Amino acid sequence: MAHQVTMGAMLQCSCGTAPSSLNVLPLKRVLAEGPPAANIMDHAPMVNIMPFGMCNSLANPTVASATAAAMGVLTPMPCIPMTVAPWIPGAPTVLIANQPALNNNSKCLCTWGGSISVTNPATVKTLLP
């Protein structure tokens, strides 16, 4: 069983150097153990998904430029998430604001090559099928 993800859940990007937290806007939402519950559409960069410290992905143009300027030595640059697609797969049998609920097994892909995962869903009792 997967856990429902809510605002304040801890996230980690495979290309980031620090964890981040999920922000869920409380518009037409249900509460799960206190904070608003998330759905798969809570993927907007700098609104729902905050930066992960520094980015190590050479697919990120700023990292590629800094690395080239450093004669090929990988030079991390500040993370600016580029999440253009929803979280996958979500919980298709549970809808929140007419979208599948976000569970702790879901992933969100960053355009720069990172895979964002939920490390702590911020719930302990709310399980999803």
Side-chain angles (χ1 to χ4, degrees):
M1 297 294 282
H3 289 270
Q4 170 67 51
V5 174
T6 63
M7 182 163 59
M10 295 306 297
L11 308 176
Q12 182 64 55
C13 178
S14 60
C15 293
T17 60
S20 183
S21 62
L22 180 69
N23 187 26
V24 178
L25 301 178
L27 305 171
K28 299 180 185 175
R29 297 300 173 99
V30 296
L31 303 180
E33 298 178 36
N39 68 31
I40 64 166
M41 296 308 290
D42 292 321
H43 68 87
M46 307 305 282
V47 174
N48 303 117
I49 299 177
M50 297 296 135
F52 295 94
M54 303 293 275
C55 180
N56 289 310
S57 174
L58 286 173
N60 183 333
T62 59
V63 175
S65 295
T67 300
M71 304 297 194
V73 177
L74 179 63
T75 307
M77 293 300 287
C79 169
I80 304 293
M82 288 296 295
T83 51
V84 296
W87 292 83
I88 49 174
T93 59
V94 179
L95 299 181
I96 296 174
N98 293 321
Q99 296 293 331
L102 181 61
N103 64 37
N104 64 324
N105 296 327
S106 299
K107 304 279 186 222
C108 190
L109 302 178
C110 179
T111 301
W112 309 135
S115 176
I116 301 168
S117 58
V118 178
T119 57
N120 181 343
T123 60
V124 292
K125 297 182 277 184
T126 310
L127 299 176
L128 297 173

